[in-house]
């Protein structure tokens, strides 16, 4: 087992912070959904429970991916990028649905975190070659 003594680069630290912030925000949505499931009149209980489970699972996945990235697990980058790119269609449909004040920041957030995750300092920290050493 090797211990990497180099500090985590700022790009990766910020990506982890933003992923954890997303996890907390989604966990708060999940708490609200749980409260709604328990207190509202049931119209379609199966859909309500599946949506709640999706929110809980998403929050857990974002938190776990952030933890893996801070420990420099290269395999966590691809799923994290996929989750961030999923914010693009969500944001687009929010804009189309009349919520541009929420949709546009979500799209910018997804692209921003993706950029942080694929930046050269993050690549080096995660063990990916950035192309500088190729011949």
């Amino acid at each position: 087992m090797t211990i990497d003594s180099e500090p985590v680069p700022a790009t990766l630290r910020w990506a982890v912070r933003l992923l954890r912030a997303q996890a907390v925000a989604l966990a708060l949505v999940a708490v609200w959904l749980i409260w709604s499931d328990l207190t509202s009149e049931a119209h379609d209980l199966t859909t309500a429970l599946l949506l709640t489970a999706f929110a809980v699972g998403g929050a857990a996945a974002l938190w776990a991916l952030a933890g893996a990235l801070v420990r420099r697990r290269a395999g966590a980058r691809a799923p994290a990028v996929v989750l961030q790119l999923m914010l693009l269609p969500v944001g687009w449909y929010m804009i189309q649905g009349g919520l541009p004040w929420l949709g546009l920041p979500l799209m910018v957030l997804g692209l921003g975190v993706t950029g942080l995750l694929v930046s050269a300092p993050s690549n080096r920290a995660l063990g990916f070659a950035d192309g500088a050493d190729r011949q």
Side-chain angles (χ1 to χ4, degrees):
M1 180 169 117
T2 61
I3 298 175
D4 194 355
S5 62
E6 291 183 33
V8 175
T11 55
L12 192 55
R13 271 196 322 269
W14 273 103
V16 167
R17 287 176 186 150
L18 291 170
L19 285 169
R20 287 202 168 144
Q22 290 175 25
V24 169
L26 194 52
L28 291 173
V29 169
V31 168
W32 178 78
L33 286 170
I34 291 168
W35 179 80
S36 181
D37 291 345
L38 294 173
T39 60
S40 297
E41 184 178 323
H43 294 291
D44 187 357
L45 184 60
T46 303
T47 301
L49 294 176
L50 286 173
L51 180 62
T52 302
F54 185 78
V56 170
L62 285 166
W63 191 269
L65 288 170
L69 286 167
V70 83
R71 290 187 308 275
R72 298 182 186 201
R73 303 284 190 245
R77 186 177 76 165
V81 168
V82 168
L83 288 177
Q84 295 311 296
L85 292 178
M86 287 175 63
L87 290 176
L88 296 178
V90 170
W92 175 255
Y93 282 107
M94 285 183 157
I95 290 169
Q96 295 298 312
L99 296 171
W101 60 271
L102 185 56
L104 189 59
L106 279 178
M107 293 173 79
V108 170
L109 177 65
L111 290 174
V113 174
T114 298
L116 290 170
L117 288 171
V118 299
S119 67
S122 295
N123 281 341
R124 283 191 294 276
L126 294 171
F128 294 108
D130 61 343
D133 56 351
R134 290 188 203 164
Q135 295 181 2

